[in-house]
Amino acid sequence: GENVEQHPSTLSVQEGDSAVIKCTYSDSASNYFPWYKQELGKRPQLIIDIRSNVGEKKDQRIAVTLNKTAKHFSLHITETQPEDSAVYFCAASRHNDMRFGAGTRLTVKP
Amino acid sequence: DAMVIQNPRYQVTQFGKPVTLSCSQTLNHNVMYWYQQKSSQAPKLLFHYYDKDFNNEADTPDNFQSRRPNTSFCFLDIRSPGLGDAAMYLCATTPEGAGEQYFGPGTRLTVT
């Protein structure tokens, strides 16, 4: 089955700096890669996603890159703000199943 | 408007006493999922339904069962809750195939 690894587990940045979170996956048939943001006590919220036929996608301050050959994908947040502080999960999906990475706790210091 | 609804939001049950959590959706999605999320961990997939087709994860304990009587509703039954089953239980839906999952607000289960 699919195995998703995520690094780092914690990340602390200064407001305005960039943050990068990286994930690798094992199943080359996976074709959908979402990133979720989860605040304490709340449900995961999709912030950006990418499909396997695309190498990069950007939405304002957030971007995701995918390297299918290496089976890794990354989340990039630029100009970080304190409200970006949360736990971020990557995930990989092939059909109807989805596997999550272990999560990254991002802290943005004002 | 709520799209994926979970009831109750908080549930307290006693050790060994069966409990049922419910999920309903107004999206008419074919696929419904149940996840277990413990503190500071990732959501762990327990099982999912593709329409009426039930798919159990290999490592989901037999203590966990599920029912989907129709497209809109899905239930998670925990037959004999143990202390280790205390967690947030998340329901999610997707139209079909690999795509965005829409999560409900979750039910936080406490086992006393």
Side-chain angles (χ1 to χ4, degrees):
Chain A
E2 175 66 276
N3 183 46
V4 180
E5 294 192 359
Q6 182 172 346
H7 300 279
S9 57
T10 61
L11 179 59
S12 181
V13 300
Q14 208 65 38
E15 181 177 2
D17 288 350
S18 295
V20 180
I21 303 171
K22 299 182 179 182
C23 287
T24 60
Y25 62 99
S26 60
D27 187 350
S28 57
S30 290
N31 56 11
Y32 175 69
F33 307 92
W35 285 89
Y36 285 88
K37 175 183 180 183
Q38 189 175 31
E39 297 175 340
L40 189 63
K42 296 189 176 181
R43 76 191 82 184
Q45 286 188 302
L46 181 73
I47 56 171
I48 196 166
D49 56 9
I50 193 167
R51 294 197 178 269
S52 57
N53 57 348
V54 176
E56 184 175 357
K57 184 176 177 181
K58 189 174 181 180
D59 182 4
Q60 299 183 346
R61 297 186 296 110
I62 297 173
V64 56
T65 59
L66 171 65
N67 183 327
K68 282 177 56 180
T69 302
K71 290 189 281 188
H72 66 69
F73 56 113
S74 300
L75 176 71
H76 304 253
I77 305 174
T78 59
E79 300 172 30
T80 53
Q81 301 166 2
E83 49 266 39
D84 294 329
S85 297
V87 178
Y88 291 80
F89 293 101
C90 64
S93 178
R94 184 175 62 171
H95 295 300
N96 296 317
D97 57 341
M98 184 175 291
R99 298 290 183 270
F100 285 82
T104 297
R105 181 173 298 279
L106 174 64
T107 302
V108 180
K109 299 178 182 177
Chain B
D1 291 338
M3 296 184 291
V4 182
I5 302 162
Q6 290 188 245
N7 286 307
R9 296 290 312 277
Y10 301 91
Q11 175 75 56
V12 180
T13 191
Q14 292 178 333
F15 182 94
K17 184 175 181 181
V19 65
T20 294
L21 310 182
S22 73
C23 177
S24 63
Q25 53 133 338
T26 60
L27 299 164
N28 204 35
H29 284 171
N30 279 332
V31 192
M32 294 186 78
Y33 303 82
W34 279 105
Y35 291 91
Q36 178 193 65
Q37 187 176 27
K38 296 187 177 181
S39 181
S40 301
Q41 295 184 21
K44 179 181 180 298
L45 182 63
L46 295 174
F47 24 61
H48 74 272
Y49 277 93
Y50 183 91
D51 197 9
K52 294 183 179 180
D53 183 24
F54 177 70
N55 297 272
N56 196 34
E57 292 298 300
D59 57 354
T60 298
D62 292 339
N63 196 27
F64 292 86
Q65 303 288 319
S66 185
R67 296 170 283 134
R68 188 179 186 185
N70 53 53
T71 300
S72 301
F73 285 87
C74 195
F75 300 98
L76 171 62
D77 301 309
I78 309 176
R79 294 192 296 188
S80 181
L83 298 178
D85 297 328
M88 175 74 84
Y89 290 87
L90 293 162
C91 174
T93 73
T94 194
E96 61 182 87
E100 179 181 358
Q101 294 193 5
Y102 297 77
F103 283 88
T107 294
R108 181 164 297 282
L109 178 69
T110 300
V111 182
T112 61

